[in-house]
Amino acid sequence: MFRGISLALVSLSVGVLILAKVFLYPDCYSFDSHDEANHAFPGLHVAQAAIRAGELPTINYYNNFGTPLLGDALTYPFAVQAITYQFLDSHLAMTVNRFVIAVVTVVAAFGFFRIYLGFFPALVCALLIYFNPVSFWYPVHQYQMVAPFFFASFYLLNKFNIHRSALYFLSLFALFCVMILSVSINHVVLMVPFVLSWSFSRNGFQVNRISVAPLVALVCAVIFSYPQTFDFAQSFQASARSSEGVYDSILTTSRELFLGLIIPPGEWIAYNYGAQLQVTTYLSLPVMLAVLSGTWIIRKKVAWKQATLFLCGILPTVMAIILYMNSELRFAIPFVKSVDISRVFWFSTPFCYVYVGYFIACVRLGKLPRIVAGFLLV
């Protein structure tokens, strides 16, 4: 009971903190003044009007000479986030969404970390992961709010692996359906290798119905959601971003990368458009040291925990940094050249923070000097 109350209070506090400016300033709401105000709000209004008229909202005739609507993640009309727009004005709907998603993300992240950690380290990591700057929970645009789905999927996968119940498989299928309808297909594609690698490792590297269950659930979810995603599938090849690298001009240099490990980048990088593309946003020397300490601490843990953390945490992070710093190599790889490679960190970071959780647990047991732990965490 105490632990449940503690989790509820912490998650609700995070939601209130996210909306602090709404309470501090008059006539202030929580939404992005660019893509949300310019695209999501009017686009959802047009899409929902078309649905009420019995039409499939494939195009917005009021934007320029007509723009795709159904396949645009900014205006997914069947997204779970779009429900609030049916009852509230756009600015109020987005404000409510941010509060709800903040609360649910902390709860789902806690469930994910509990797969590996005890109660207190899991709760601390859930807070740390949420406030890590501009990561995959990046709560600016509707389509980027993938965190609850990401965390919940691993929780359900772990339950399915343990109990092998049809209930958990159906829950996973339902979760994937809502995720594909609500989250940019780009993020769904990036998430798939993590889900499959984790399931394969968790099942002892055996190929059977347990390890392939998430793939089956995902394929079924893609088929279910096709009425929304078909427009994207037909149109994405016409986009300039599918055939050329578009992020090279604003990437961090090698000098900035190493400088950012020591000095917080917010002190010397202008955080405006493109801040989420700066790799220094995601890396810090204290966290890296805590992660390295965690890798040593878990050397005697069960094999599947070590494997999942390495395959889903350290390995993709290192690969993303190598591709990030080597633009020629990155642009030579189809698909990779047309995506923001730093978004791999959105999905690998939580697994790296599990190492931090083991580090925290070790400190609580008195196996490391508390002054060292305090320095690293601060």
Side-chain angles (χ1 to χ4, degrees):
M1 176 65 74
F2 171 76
R3 292 184 173 185
I5 294 175
S6 299
L7 177 60
L9 289 175
V10 169
S11 58
L12 289 172
S13 299
V14 170
V16 172
L17 182 60
I18 291 297
L19 298 186
K21 67 176 184 179
V22 176
F23 305 112
L24 293 175
Y25 302 104
D27 299 323
C28 180
Y29 300 94
S30 183
F31 63 89
D32 178 60
S33 60
H34 298 286
D35 283 358
E36 291 298 329
N38 296 332
H39 299 285
F41 291 172
L44 277 171
H45 175 76
V46 173
Q48 291 174 344
I51 292 173
R52 286 192 291 269
E55 303 174 359
L56 195 61
T58 57
I59 190 170
N60 181 2
Y61 294 103
Y62 304 99
N63 190 349
N64 294 317
F65 295 98
T67 57
L69 189 60
L70 192 60
D72 185 355
L74 278 170
T75 54
Y76 277 170
F78 303 112
V80 66
Q81 305 98 310
I83 295 175
T84 52
Y85 290 82
Q86 297 282 0
F87 310 101
L88 301 171
D89 290 338
S90 297
H91 61 288
L92 292 174
M94 185 57 178
T95 300
V96 171
N97 284 350
R98 286 195 174 180
F99 172 80
V100 173
I101 289 175
V103 173
V104 173
T105 296
V106 173
V107 174
F110 173 79
F112 166 78
F113 285 117
R114 281 289 281 153
I115 296 174
Y116 298 92
L117 304 168
F119 176 82
F120 180 77
L123 189 60
V124 173
C125 284
L127 291 174
L128 289 176
I129 206 70
Y130 192 88
F131 290 106
N132 187 46
V134 197
S135 198
F136 68 93
W137 47 88
Y138 189 52
V140 174
H141 307 311
Q142 299 275 25
Y143 67 93
Q144 291 176 323
M145 296 176 178
V146 66
F149 305 104
F150 182 73
F151 285 131
S153 65
F154 289 101
Y155 174 80
L156 290 173
L157 280 172
N158 191 57
K159 289 291 186 180
F160 179 66
N161 189 283
I162 295 173
H163 301 290
R164 305 191 177 188
S165 167
L167 174 63
Y168 290 113
F169 175 80
L170 293 175
S171 300
L172 189 65
F173 164 70
L175 180 74
F176 284 161
C177 287
V178 177
M179 179 183 69
I180 295 174
L181 291 173
S182 306
V183 177
S184 169
I185 199 69
N186 184 357
H187 301 143
V188 174
V189 171
L190 287 175
M191 178 178 164
V192 169
F194 291 88
V195 172
L196 297 183
S197 297
W198 193 93
S199 181
F200 184 58
S201 303
R202 178 67 178 87
N203 196 43
F205 300 97
Q206 300 178 21
V207 179
N208 54 30
R209 67 184 184 90
I210 302 299
S211 59
V212 302
L215 181 60
V216 174
L218 185 62
V219 171
C220 293
V222 169
I223 296 173
F224 173 82
S225 61
Y226 191 69
Q228 174 171 288
T229 57
F230 80 93
D231 197 33
F232 170 83
Q234 293 178 346
S235 305
F236 82 97
Q237 286 289 356
S239 171
R241 295 191 177 188
S242 67
S243 60
E244 63 182 56
V246 296
Y247 294 104
D248 186 52
S249 61
I250 51 178
L251 295 180
T252 313
T253 64
S254 299
R255 174 181 175 275
E256 291 174 343
L257 171 63
F258 291 106
L259 181 61
L261 295 178
I262 303 172
I263 304 175
E267 301 294 329
W268 51 276
I269 286 183
Y271 266 41
N272 46 37
Y273 177 77
Q276 74 275 17
L277 306 178
Q278 306 292 341
V279 72
T280 50
T281 299
Y282 304 91
L283 304 178
S284 73
L285 189 59
V287 171
M288 291 178 68
L289 291 175
V291 169
L292 290 175
S293 300
T295 60
W296 174 258
I297 293 170
I298 73 162
R299 68 190 186 281
K300 295 182 180 180
K301 295 290 182 180
V302 294
W304 73 263
K305 290 187 177 182
Q306 296 187 51
T308 53
L309 294 179
F310 176 77
L311 292 176
C312 299
I314 292 179
L315 182 61
T317 298
V318 172
M319 291 177 62
I321 292 175
I322 293 174
L323 290 173
Y324 183 96
M325 302 308 298
N326 191 332
S327 58
E328 292 184 3
L329 176 61
R330 187 171 71 254
F331 292 157
I333 304 175
F335 176 75
V336 173
K337 67 179 180 180
S338 56
V339 300
D340 171 15
I341 196 63
S342 69
R343 294 193 183 186
V344 172
F345 301 135
W346 294 17
F347 302 97
S348 64
T349 299
F351 291 95
C352 291
Y353 267 71
V354 173
Y355 291 113
V356 178
Y358 282 120
F359 173 80
I360 295 172
C362 190
V363 171
R364 293 192 75 215
L365 294 175
K367 296 180 179 180
L368 287 176
R370 294 182 181 272
I371 188 172
V372 175
F375 167 74
L376 292 179
L377 292 178
V378 170

